[in-house]
Amino acid sequence: MSNTSIPLDVAAAEEHLMRFLSVEGVTGHEKNIGLAVCDALKKIGVPESAIRFDDANKRIPLPTETGNLIVDIPGTRPGPRLLFSTHLDTVPLCAGAKPKRDGDRIVSDGTTALGGDARTGVALLVVVAETLLKHKLPHPPITLLFTVREESGLHGARELNPSDLNGAEMCINVDGQMASELIVGAVGQENWEVEIKGRASHAGVAPEKGISATLVGAMALAEARQSGWFGKVVKPDGRGTSNVGIFGGKDNKPAGDATNVVTDYAFIKGEARSPEAAFATKIATGYKEAFAKAQSEVTDDQGDKAEVKFTHTPSYPPFELGKDTAIVKRATKALQILDIEPVYVFSNGGLDANWLDKHGVPTITIGAGQAEIHTIKEYVNLKEYEKGCRLGILMATLED
Ligand SMILES: [Zn+2]
């Protein structure tokens, strides 16, 4: 197929997008948007028997209305099974969004985000299915995957049972901005948290009898920065980033509640990212050592120290596809047909692609016009959406 022979119905593609943008479905509440997608698929001729929800929501440790939506489209020619994926959920800032057309854009009314992240992907998957069926285009077997709870921690993709993908050999994930940008890798992340139990004492009468949990925390963070573990981390054996996100007390309250009491409790939570899982762990370990050092330096007048409980746990694994991977070659070839110069991107944030790759399905992420995501300025660039739809149709139909 050449660029000009791609039978994309632009008006129908925009209609699907407008419809999906108008259905609320913030992370964890994907039931209505899931049903809207099922409706759209049935209307374009996908049999009900090919559409199902998995039970990933039973394994997700947060309340989640529904599982991932999975749809099988039989091939009309042989070839390795292709997976097309995107996420159903939007960030909470999208609740109540009222999408409207504004020239070459779809925008919100300026009080909410829009949800083009990733409803552009949701619409694109439906457009690909519709175009294949309507024009009887030759294609290998295809599975569509619409995940839940991507925005709150990549949960749907993580808890997916890989055998539900029917042996898909490669995946096109739609969750990006520009059609020219191919996301071929992403960092992994380690989360860490620490609980510091000091001892309260009257800060005016007997400060020497107290052990300040706040001071332990503050000294530890200064030490972590001094040792090169805070913010952008560049060491001879690796690189990454880290951040301290929360510094507080019990139950989301502040650390301490009066100026005249030595703070007896503090809770700190942060993250570390790196293209190497082991180096993300190493950054977290750097924080652990900084807290141990601060613990040894803050004592009461008897030499007693605070209790420090530091834990860290992997959040998602990193991945990187080689240029010679079948899916990267396929995307590159499709962009060439569209006369678009590919830009290969390594993402500093996790995507469903991290888990799909971990599940054994090499996954490239393409863009379809989402822009200024997670803000009230969010919009959809319809020119990029159209390019993304063409790219999707080409990737579904290219000869291997
Ligand atoms: Zn997204």
Side-chain angles (χ1 to χ4, degrees):
M1 210 177 331
S2 69
N3 187 2
T4 47
S5 65
I6 301 166
L8 174 68
D9 182 338
V10 176
E14 288 181 8
E15 242 169 73
H16 285 304
L17 176 57
M18 207 50 148
R19 162 91 186 105
F20 295 139
L21 285 170
S22 71
V23 179
E24 187 169 311
V26 302
T27 195
H29 299 268
E30 295 90 350
K31 188 159 179 242
N32 286 343
I33 181 65
L35 292 176
V37 174
C38 292
D39 269 357
L41 289 168
K42 283 184 235 164
K43 275 191 194 130
I44 62 171
V46 177
E48 193 157 3
S49 59
I51 305 172
R52 63 190 186 278
F53 286 90
D54 74 2
D55 61 352
N57 54 323
K58 290 185 186 157
R59 295 182 292 278
I60 294 173
L62 297 163
T64 308
E65 285 179 353
T66 176
N68 300 306
L69 172 60
I70 303 174
V71 182
D72 291 319
I73 302 172
T76 54
R77 66 165 170 80
R81 180 176 288 275
L82 296 177
L83 179 66
F84 279 81
S85 71
T86 190
H87 61 90
L88 286 173
D89 59 319
T90 63
V91 290
L93 194 59
C94 297
K98 291 178 194 67
K100 62 170 190 233
R101 178 87 186 235
D102 181 9
D104 278 348
R105 293 182 174 191
I106 300 174
V107 298
S108 75
D109 66 3
T111 62
T112 69
L114 178 65
D117 172 14
R119 297 294 166 74
T120 47
V122 173
L124 188 150
L125 265 54
V126 172
V127 168
V128 167
E130 181 173 37
T131 311
L132 297 181
L133 294 173
K134 194 170 157 193
H135 297 278
K136 300 196 166 53
L137 302 178
H139 63 85
I142 287 175
T143 295
L144 308 179
L145 167 68
F146 303 83
T147 65
V148 295
R149 271 208 185 274
E150 191 268 357
E151 296 288 5
S152 40
L154 313 179
H155 290 287
R158 179 182 191 150
E159 299 303 338
L160 179 83
N161 185 346
S163 68
D164 280 337
L165 302 177
N166 286 335
E169 289 185 30
M170 57 187 105
C171 174
I172 300 103
N173 180 45
V174 190
D175 194 9
Q177 185 172 352
M178 308 296 287
S180 57
E181 288 180 352
L182 302 175
I183 301 174
V184 294
V187 290
Q189 183 173 323
E190 185 104 357
N191 293 333
W192 58 263
E193 59 181 58
V194 60
E195 234 187 337
I196 307 164
K197 289 180 185 161
R199 187 184 308 123
S201 180
H202 195 291
V205 178
E208 72 282 3
K209 296 199 182 311
I211 305 169
S212 170
T214 313
L215 186 64
V216 173
M219 286 173 64
L221 297 178
E223 168 64 23
R225 180 180 173 277
Q226 197 71 34
S227 310
W229 298 117
F230 180 80
K232 206 165 213 130
V233 180
V234 181
K235 299 267 187 187
D237 56 336
R239 63 192 168 88
T241 58
S242 81
N243 186 43
V244 180
I246 295 157
F247 192 150
K250 280 180 191 144
D251 308 324
N252 293 326
K253 291 200 182 103
D257 47 21
T259 63
N260 62 356
V261 182
V262 174
T263 325
D264 66 347
Y265 182 92
F267 174 77
I268 305 174
K269 203 170 171 178
E271 59 157 56
R273 302 179 185 208
S274 172
E276 310 285 339
F279 195 73
T281 307
K282 193 163 178 182
I283 297 173
T285 310
Y287 276 89
K288 183 178 183 173
E289 284 163 7
F291 279 98
K293 184 155 185 252
Q295 177 188 31
S296 71
E297 288 170 1
V298 179
T299 64
D300 67 2
D301 61 352
Q302 304 298 308
D304 280 359
K305 299 180 185 101
E307 241 180 75
V308 173
K309 200 173 131 207
F310 187 98
T311 55
H312 58 104
T313 166
S315 175
Y316 54 83
F319 78 103
E320 185 161 17
L321 304 173
K323 290 263 162 62
D324 55 348
T325 318
I327 190 64
V328 176
K329 287 206 253 180
R330 196 179 183 88
T332 303
K333 195 170 157 190
L335 280 180
Q336 273 163 2
I337 294 171
L338 291 173
D339 213 10
I340 296 172
E341 189 66 35
V343 180
Y344 302 97
V345 176
F346 186 88
S347 169
N348 284 319
L351 302 143
D352 277 350
N354 290 58
W355 284 110
L356 293 169
D357 190 82
K358 178 84 176 169
H359 292 325
V361 189
T363 300
I364 201 161
T365 300
I366 65 169
Q370 59 184 42
E372 301 263 10
I373 60 168
H374 303 192
T375 74
I376 57 168
K377 289 192 283 180
E378 188 185 4
Y379 66 93
V380 171
N381 176 336
L382 287 170
K383 286 281 168 257
E384 287 301 315
Y385 171 63
E386 193 185 318
K387 283 185 207 167
C389 287
R390 289 181 194 280
L391 178 59
I393 295 164
L394 271 175
M395 289 189 75
T397 52
L398 273 181
E399 296 285 340
D400 309 313

PDB file of all heavy atoms in Angstrom, residues 295-325:
ATOM      1  N   GLN A 295      21.189   8.531  60.754  1.00  0.00           N
ATOM      2  CA  GLN A 295      20.715   7.856  61.976  1.00  0.00           C
ATOM      3  C   GLN A 295      21.840   7.802  63.019  1.00  0.00           C
ATOM      4  O   GLN A 295      21.616   8.058  64.207  1.00  0.00           O
ATOM      5  CB  GLN A 295      20.271   6.434  61.620  1.00  0.00           C
ATOM      6  CG  GLN A 295      19.818   5.603  62.816  1.00  0.00           C
ATOM      7  CD  GLN A 295      19.588   4.145  62.416  1.00  0.00           C
ATOM      8  OE1 GLN A 295      20.245   3.620  61.508  1.00  0.00           O
ATOM      9  NE2 GLN A 295      18.642   3.509  63.088  1.00  0.00           N
ATOM     10  N   SER A 296      23.047   7.500  62.575  1.00  0.00           N
ATOM     11  CA  SER A 296      24.156   7.349  63.529  1.00  0.00           C
ATOM     12  C   SER A 296      24.595   8.697  64.098  1.00  0.00           C
ATOM     13  O   SER A 296      25.223   8.756  65.147  1.00  0.00           O
ATOM     14  CB  SER A 296      25.335   6.647  62.849  1.00  0.00           C
ATOM     15  OG  SER A 296      25.925   7.522  61.906  1.00  0.00           O
ATOM     16  N   GLU A 297      24.260   9.790  63.414  1.00  0.00           N
ATOM     17  CA  GLU A 297      24.748  11.115  63.836  1.00  0.00           C
ATOM     18  C   GLU A 297      23.770  11.885  64.733  1.00  0.00           C
ATOM     19  O   GLU A 297      24.146  12.845  65.381  1.00  0.00           O
ATOM     20  CB  GLU A 297      25.089  11.954  62.597  1.00  0.00           C
ATOM     21  CG  GLU A 297      26.359  11.462  61.908  1.00  0.00           C
ATOM     22  CD  GLU A 297      26.599  12.118  60.555  1.00  0.00           C
ATOM     23  OE1 GLU A 297      25.795  12.968  60.135  1.00  0.00           O
ATOM     24  OE2 GLU A 297      27.607  11.761  59.924  1.00  0.00           O
ATOM     25  N   VAL A 298      22.510  11.472  64.732  1.00  0.00           N
ATOM     26  CA  VAL A 298      21.511  12.201  65.535  1.00  0.00           C
ATOM     27  C   VAL A 298      21.188  11.370  66.775  1.00  0.00           C
ATOM     28  O   VAL A 298      20.590  10.300  66.664  1.00  0.00           O
ATOM     29  CB  VAL A 298      20.227  12.458  64.718  1.00  0.00           C
ATOM     30  CG1 VAL A 298      19.198  13.200  65.573  1.00  0.00           C
ATOM     31  CG2 VAL A 298      20.547  13.255  63.449  1.00  0.00           C
ATOM     32  N   THR A 299      21.599  11.871  67.957  1.00  0.00           N
ATOM     33  CA  THR A 299      21.352  11.099  69.182  1.00  0.00           C
ATOM     34  C   THR A 299      20.786  12.012  70.262  1.00  0.00           C
ATOM     35  O   THR A 299      20.867  13.233  70.166  1.00  0.00           O
ATOM     36  CB  THR A 299      22.669  10.490  69.729  1.00  0.00           C
ATOM     37  OG1 THR A 299      23.532  11.577  70.095  1.00  0.00           O
ATOM     38  CG2 THR A 299      23.352   9.608  68.701  1.00  0.00           C
ATOM     39  N   ASP A 300      20.245  11.390  71.297  1.00  0.00           N
ATOM     40  CA  ASP A 300      19.861  12.172  72.479  1.00  0.00           C
ATOM     41  C   ASP A 300      21.072  12.246  73.424  1.00  0.00           C
ATOM     42  O   ASP A 300      22.166  11.774  73.066  1.00  0.00           O
ATOM     43  CB  ASP A 300      18.623  11.562  73.158  1.00  0.00           C
ATOM     44  CG  ASP A 300      18.909  10.206  73.781  1.00  0.00           C
ATOM     45  OD1 ASP A 300      20.083   9.739  73.723  1.00  0.00           O
ATOM     46  OD2 ASP A 300      17.967   9.598  74.326  1.00  0.00           O
ATOM     47  N   ASP A 301      20.906  12.787  74.613  1.00  0.00           N
ATOM     48  CA  ASP A 301      22.063  12.971  75.501  1.00  0.00           C
ATOM     49  C   ASP A 301      22.614  11.653  76.056  1.00  0.00           C
ATOM     50  O   ASP A 301      23.696  11.621  76.630  1.00  0.00           O
ATOM     51  CB  ASP A 301      21.715  13.945  76.637  1.00  0.00           C
ATOM     52  CG  ASP A 301      20.570  13.441  77.506  1.00  0.00           C
ATOM     53  OD1 ASP A 301      19.947  12.403  77.142  1.00  0.00           O
ATOM     54  OD2 ASP A 301      20.289  14.079  78.535  1.00  0.00           O
ATOM     55  N   GLN A 302      21.878  10.542  75.866  1.00  0.00           N
ATOM     56  CA  GLN A 302      22.368   9.228  76.300  1.00  0.00           C
ATOM     57  C   GLN A 302      23.008   8.448  75.143  1.00  0.00           C
ATOM     58  O   GLN A 302      23.382   7.294  75.293  1.00  0.00           O
ATOM     59  CB  GLN A 302      21.203   8.372  76.859  1.00  0.00           C
ATOM     60  CG  GLN A 302      20.423   9.020  78.003  1.00  0.00           C
ATOM     61  CD  GLN A 302      21.303   9.266  79.215  1.00  0.00           C
ATOM     62  OE1 GLN A 302      21.988   8.344  79.710  1.00  0.00           O
ATOM     63  NE2 GLN A 302      21.332  10.508  79.689  1.00  0.00           N
ATOM     64  N   GLY A 303      23.023   9.057  73.977  1.00  0.00           N
ATOM     65  CA  GLY A 303      23.578   8.348  72.805  1.00  0.00           C
ATOM     66  C   GLY A 303      22.549   7.479  72.092  1.00  0.00           C
ATOM     67  O   GLY A 303      22.898   6.731  71.180  1.00  0.00           O
ATOM     68  N   ASP A 304      21.267   7.560  72.496  1.00  0.00           N
ATOM     69  CA  ASP A 304      20.221   6.770  71.819  1.00  0.00           C
ATOM     70  C   ASP A 304      19.942   7.344  70.433  1.00  0.00           C
ATOM     71  O   ASP A 304      20.010   8.562  70.230  1.00  0.00           O
ATOM     72  CB  ASP A 304      18.928   6.788  72.639  1.00  0.00           C
ATOM     73  CG  ASP A 304      18.988   5.784  73.781  1.00  0.00           C
ATOM     74  OD1 ASP A 304      20.026   5.081  73.896  1.00  0.00           O
ATOM     75  OD2 ASP A 304      18.008   5.706  74.542  1.00  0.00           O
ATOM     76  N   LYS A 305      19.586   6.427  69.525  1.00  0.00           N
ATOM     77  CA  LYS A 305      19.350   6.838  68.133  1.00  0.00           C
ATOM     78  C   LYS A 305      17.910   6.577  67.709  1.00  0.00           C
ATOM     79  O   LYS A 305      17.182   5.826  68.361  1.00  0.00           O
ATOM     80  CB  LYS A 305      20.277   6.043  67.204  1.00  0.00           C
ATOM     81  CG  LYS A 305      21.746   6.278  67.475  1.00  0.00           C
ATOM     82  CD  LYS A 305      22.595   5.454  66.505  1.00  0.00           C
ATOM     83  CE  LYS A 305      24.056   5.594  66.854  1.00  0.00           C
ATOM     84  NZ  LYS A 305      24.598   4.459  67.601  1.00  0.00           N
ATOM     85  N   ALA A 306      17.536   7.166  66.591  1.00  0.00           N
ATOM     86  CA  ALA A 306      16.195   6.927  66.020  1.00  0.00           C
ATOM     87  C   ALA A 306      16.139   5.529  65.416  1.00  0.00           C
ATOM     88  O   ALA A 306      17.170   4.940  65.095  1.00  0.00           O
ATOM     89  CB  ALA A 306      15.897   7.973  64.949  1.00  0.00           C
ATOM     90  N   GLU A 307      14.907   5.041  65.271  1.00  0.00           N
ATOM     91  CA  GLU A 307      14.699   3.794  64.520  1.00  0.00           C
ATOM     92  C   GLU A 307      14.462   4.193  63.071  1.00  0.00           C
ATOM     93  O   GLU A 307      13.619   5.058  62.801  1.00  0.00           O
ATOM     94  CB  GLU A 307      13.407   3.150  65.022  1.00  0.00           C
ATOM     95  CG  GLU A 307      13.539   1.793  65.641  1.00  0.00           C
ATOM     96  CD  GLU A 307      12.165   1.315  66.087  1.00  0.00           C
ATOM     97  OE1 GLU A 307      11.368   0.926  65.212  1.00  0.00           O
ATOM     98  OE2 GLU A 307      11.891   1.391  67.312  1.00  0.00           O
ATOM     99  N   VAL A 308      15.181   3.586  62.156  1.00  0.00           N
ATOM    100  CA  VAL A 308      15.022   3.931  60.736  1.00  0.00           C
ATOM    101  C   VAL A 308      14.689   2.664  59.953  1.00  0.00           C
ATOM    102  O   VAL A 308      15.459   1.700  59.969  1.00  0.00           O
ATOM    103  CB  VAL A 308      16.314   4.579  60.183  1.00  0.00           C
ATOM    104  CG1 VAL A 308      16.204   4.775  58.678  1.00  0.00           C
ATOM    105  CG2 VAL A 308      16.579   5.911  60.880  1.00  0.00           C
ATOM    106  N   LYS A 309      13.511   2.673  59.333  1.00  0.00           N
ATOM    107  CA  LYS A 309      13.127   1.502  58.524  1.00  0.00           C
ATOM    108  C   LYS A 309      13.030   1.930  57.059  1.00  0.00           C
ATOM    109  O   LYS A 309      12.114   2.633  56.657  1.00  0.00           O
ATOM    110  CB  LYS A 309      11.786   0.960  59.016  1.00  0.00           C
ATOM    111  CG  LYS A 309      11.559  -0.477  58.596  1.00  0.00           C
ATOM    112  CD  LYS A 309      10.294  -1.027  59.246  1.00  0.00           C
ATOM    113  CE  LYS A 309       9.437  -1.688  58.194  1.00  0.00           C
ATOM    114  NZ  LYS A 309       8.028  -1.703  58.499  1.00  0.00           N
ATOM    115  N   PHE A 310      14.032   1.503  56.284  1.00  0.00           N
ATOM    116  CA  PHE A 310      14.117   1.893  54.864  1.00  0.00           C
ATOM    117  C   PHE A 310      13.759   0.687  53.993  1.00  0.00           C
ATOM    118  O   PHE A 310      14.301  -0.398  54.175  1.00  0.00           O
ATOM    119  CB  PHE A 310      15.541   2.354  54.551  1.00  0.00           C
ATOM    120  CG  PHE A 310      15.704   2.926  53.158  1.00  0.00           C
ATOM    121  CD1 PHE A 310      15.680   4.296  52.937  1.00  0.00           C
ATOM    122  CD2 PHE A 310      15.892   2.082  52.059  1.00  0.00           C
ATOM    123  CE1 PHE A 310      15.830   4.823  51.659  1.00  0.00           C
ATOM    124  CE2 PHE A 310      16.036   2.600  50.777  1.00  0.00           C
ATOM    125  CZ  PHE A 310      16.010   3.971  50.581  1.00  0.00           C
ATOM    126  N   THR A 311      12.834   0.850  53.058  1.00  0.00           N
ATOM    127  CA  THR A 311      12.520  -0.241  52.125  1.00  0.00           C
ATOM    128  C   THR A 311      12.520   0.291  50.693  1.00  0.00           C
ATOM    129  O   THR A 311      12.228   1.462  50.457  1.00  0.00           O
ATOM    130  CB  THR A 311      11.128  -0.855  52.408  1.00  0.00           C
ATOM    131  OG1 THR A 311      10.159   0.187  52.389  1.00  0.00           O
ATOM    132  CG2 THR A 311      11.078  -1.573  53.735  1.00  0.00           C
ATOM    133  N   HIS A 312      12.886  -0.565  49.753  1.00  0.00           N
ATOM    134  CA  HIS A 312      12.792  -0.183  48.336  1.00  0.00           C
ATOM    135  C   HIS A 312      12.312  -1.374  47.524  1.00  0.00           C
ATOM    136  O   HIS A 312      12.574  -2.516  47.869  1.00  0.00           O
ATOM    137  CB  HIS A 312      14.121   0.363  47.813  1.00  0.00           C
ATOM    138  CG  HIS A 312      15.286  -0.558  47.940  1.00  0.00           C
ATOM    139  ND1 HIS A 312      15.809  -1.241  46.879  1.00  0.00           N
ATOM    140  CD2 HIS A 312      16.021  -0.907  49.022  1.00  0.00           C
ATOM    141  CE1 HIS A 312      16.826  -1.969  47.290  1.00  0.00           C
ATOM    142  NE2 HIS A 312      16.988  -1.786  48.587  1.00  0.00           N
ATOM    143  N   THR A 313      11.575  -1.068  46.447  1.00  0.00           N
ATOM    144  CA  THR A 313      10.998  -2.142  45.659  1.00  0.00           C
ATOM    145  C   THR A 313      10.886  -1.725  44.186  1.00  0.00           C
ATOM    146  O   THR A 313      10.557  -0.572  43.896  1.00  0.00           O
ATOM    147  CB  THR A 313       9.620  -2.549  46.263  1.00  0.00           C
ATOM    148  OG1 THR A 313       8.930  -3.341  45.314  1.00  0.00           O
ATOM    149  CG2 THR A 313       8.765  -1.351  46.564  1.00  0.00           C
ATOM    150  N   PRO A 314      11.174  -2.654  43.259  1.00  0.00           N
ATOM    151  CA  PRO A 314      11.080  -2.297  41.848  1.00  0.00           C
ATOM    152  C   PRO A 314       9.643  -1.965  41.475  1.00  0.00           C
ATOM    153  O   PRO A 314       8.715  -2.632  41.920  1.00  0.00           O
ATOM    154  CB  PRO A 314      11.538  -3.568  41.112  1.00  0.00           C
ATOM    155  CG  PRO A 314      12.164  -4.434  42.132  1.00  0.00           C
ATOM    156  CD  PRO A 314      11.583  -4.050  43.461  1.00  0.00           C
ATOM    157  N   SER A 315       9.434  -0.923  40.668  1.00  0.00           N
ATOM    158  CA  SER A 315       8.097  -0.546  40.236  1.00  0.00           C
ATOM    159  C   SER A 315       7.820  -1.086  38.827  1.00  0.00           C
ATOM    160  O   SER A 315       6.792  -1.691  38.580  1.00  0.00           O
ATOM    161  CB  SER A 315       7.978   0.974  40.263  1.00  0.00           C
ATOM    162  OG  SER A 315       6.746   1.392  39.748  1.00  0.00           O
ATOM    163  N   TYR A 316       8.722  -0.848  37.895  1.00  0.00           N
ATOM    164  CA  TYR A 316       8.600  -1.435  36.557  1.00  0.00           C
ATOM    165  C   TYR A 316       9.994  -1.569  35.950  1.00  0.00           C
ATOM    166  O   TYR A 316      10.904  -0.814  36.296  1.00  0.00           O
ATOM    167  CB  TYR A 316       7.670  -0.616  35.649  1.00  0.00           C
ATOM    168  CG  TYR A 316       8.015   0.848  35.538  1.00  0.00           C
ATOM    169  CD1 TYR A 316       8.987   1.293  34.647  1.00  0.00           C
ATOM    170  CD2 TYR A 316       7.370   1.789  36.332  1.00  0.00           C
ATOM    171  CE1 TYR A 316       9.304   2.636  34.551  1.00  0.00           C
ATOM    172  CE2 TYR A 316       7.686   3.139  36.235  1.00  0.00           C
ATOM    173  CZ  TYR A 316       8.657   3.552  35.340  1.00  0.00           C
ATOM    174  OH  TYR A 316       8.974   4.880  35.247  1.00  0.00           O
ATOM    175  N   PRO A 317      10.159  -2.566  35.038  1.00  0.00           N
ATOM    176  CA  PRO A 317      11.493  -2.820  34.485  1.00  0.00           C
ATOM    177  C   PRO A 317      11.785  -1.935  33.280  1.00  0.00           C
ATOM    178  O   PRO A 317      10.866  -1.525  32.574  1.00  0.00           O
ATOM    179  CB  PRO A 317      11.394  -4.282  34.030  1.00  0.00           C
ATOM    180  CG  PRO A 317       9.942  -4.460  33.680  1.00  0.00           C
ATOM    181  CD  PRO A 317       9.154  -3.525  34.569  1.00  0.00           C
ATOM    182  N   PRO A 318      13.069  -1.622  33.020  1.00  0.00           N
ATOM    183  CA  PRO A 318      13.412  -0.878  31.812  1.00  0.00           C
ATOM    184  C   PRO A 318      13.427  -1.817  30.601  1.00  0.00           C
ATOM    185  O   PRO A 318      13.386  -3.027  30.766  1.00  0.00           O
ATOM    186  CB  PRO A 318      14.830  -0.389  32.107  1.00  0.00           C
ATOM    187  CG  PRO A 318      15.401  -1.422  33.021  1.00  0.00           C
ATOM    188  CD  PRO A 318      14.252  -1.981  33.815  1.00  0.00           C
ATOM    189  N   PHE A 319      13.442  -1.245  29.402  1.00  0.00           N
ATOM    190  CA  PHE A 319      13.630  -2.067  28.192  1.00  0.00           C
ATOM    191  C   PHE A 319      14.220  -1.193  27.094  1.00  0.00           C
ATOM    192  O   PHE A 319      14.126   0.039  27.148  1.00  0.00           O
ATOM    193  CB  PHE A 319      12.303  -2.686  27.729  1.00  0.00           C
ATOM    194  CG  PHE A 319      11.408  -1.720  26.990  1.00  0.00           C
ATOM    195  CD1 PHE A 319      11.309  -1.768  25.602  1.00  0.00           C
ATOM    196  CD2 PHE A 319      10.689  -0.746  27.668  1.00  0.00           C
ATOM    197  CE1 PHE A 319      10.501  -0.870  24.908  1.00  0.00           C
ATOM    198  CE2 PHE A 319       9.878   0.154  26.986  1.00  0.00           C
ATOM    199  CZ  PHE A 319       9.784   0.093  25.601  1.00  0.00           C
ATOM    200  N   GLU A 320      14.827  -1.830  26.112  1.00  0.00           N
ATOM    201  CA  GLU A 320      15.290  -1.095  24.938  1.00  0.00           C
ATOM    202  C   GLU A 320      15.337  -2.048  23.749  1.00  0.00           C
ATOM    203  O   GLU A 320      15.931  -3.109  23.817  1.00  0.00           O
ATOM    204  CB  GLU A 320      16.675  -0.476  25.184  1.00  0.00           C
ATOM    205  CG  GLU A 320      17.097   0.386  24.012  1.00  0.00           C
ATOM    206  CD  GLU A 320      18.202   1.397  24.334  1.00  0.00           C
ATOM    207  OE1 GLU A 320      18.879   1.253  25.362  1.00  0.00           O
ATOM    208  OE2 GLU A 320      18.377   2.326  23.518  1.00  0.00           O
ATOM    209  N   LEU A 321      14.676  -1.651  22.659  1.00  0.00           N
ATOM    210  CA  LEU A 321      14.636  -2.478  21.451  1.00  0.00           C
ATOM    211  C   LEU A 321      15.804  -2.101  20.552  1.00  0.00           C
ATOM    212  O   LEU A 321      16.120  -0.921  20.400  1.00  0.00           O
ATOM    213  CB  LEU A 321      13.337  -2.217  20.673  1.00  0.00           C
ATOM    214  CG  LEU A 321      12.016  -2.410  21.403  1.00  0.00           C
ATOM    215  CD1 LEU A 321      10.870  -1.932  20.508  1.00  0.00           C
ATOM    216  CD2 LEU A 321      11.821  -3.876  21.767  1.00  0.00           C
ATOM    217  N   GLY A 322      16.431  -3.100  19.946  1.00  0.00           N
ATOM    218  CA  GLY A 322      17.492  -2.837  18.959  1.00  0.00           C
ATOM    219  C   GLY A 322      16.870  -2.369  17.649  1.00  0.00           C
ATOM    220  O   GLY A 322      15.708  -2.657  17.369  1.00  0.00           O
ATOM    221  N   LYS A 323      17.665  -1.649  16.852  1.00  0.00           N
ATOM    222  CA  LYS A 323      17.186  -1.139  15.554  1.00  0.00           C
ATOM    223  C   LYS A 323      16.802  -2.264  14.593  1.00  0.00           C
ATOM    224  O   LYS A 323      16.035  -2.062  13.667  1.00  0.00           O
ATOM    225  CB  LYS A 323      18.272  -0.276  14.897  1.00  0.00           C
ATOM    226  CG  LYS A 323      18.496   1.050  15.617  1.00  0.00           C
ATOM    227  CD  LYS A 323      17.735   2.197  14.959  1.00  0.00           C
ATOM    228  CE  LYS A 323      17.584   3.381  15.887  1.00  0.00           C
ATOM    229  NZ  LYS A 323      18.871   3.972  16.294  1.00  0.00           N
ATOM    230  N   ASP A 324      17.377  -3.470  14.818  1.00  0.00           N
ATOM    231  CA  ASP A 324      17.110  -4.574  13.904  1.00  0.00           C
ATOM    232  C   ASP A 324      15.943  -5.447  14.367  1.00  0.00           C
ATOM    233  O   ASP A 324      15.652  -6.479  13.789  1.00  0.00           O
ATOM    234  CB  ASP A 324      18.380  -5.426  13.744  1.00  0.00           C
ATOM    235  CG  ASP A 324      18.910  -5.895  15.089  1.00  0.00           C
ATOM    236  OD1 ASP A 324      18.445  -5.377  16.145  1.00  0.00           O
ATOM    237  OD2 ASP A 324      19.784  -6.779  15.112  1.00  0.00           O
ATOM    238  N   THR A 325      15.261  -5.031  15.444  1.00  0.00           N
ATOM    239  CA  THR A 325      14.088  -5.766  15.916  1.00  0.00           C
ATOM    240  C   THR A 325      12.986  -5.691  14.849  1.00  0.00           C
ATOM    241  O   THR A 325      12.805  -4.640  14.216  1.00  0.00           O
ATOM    242  CB  THR A 325      13.549  -5.099  17.207  1.00  0.00           C
ATOM    243  OG1 THR A 325      14.647  -4.752  18.035  1.00  0.00           O
ATOM    244  CG2 THR A 325      12.618  -6.003  17.990  1.00  0.00           C
TER     245      THR A 325
END
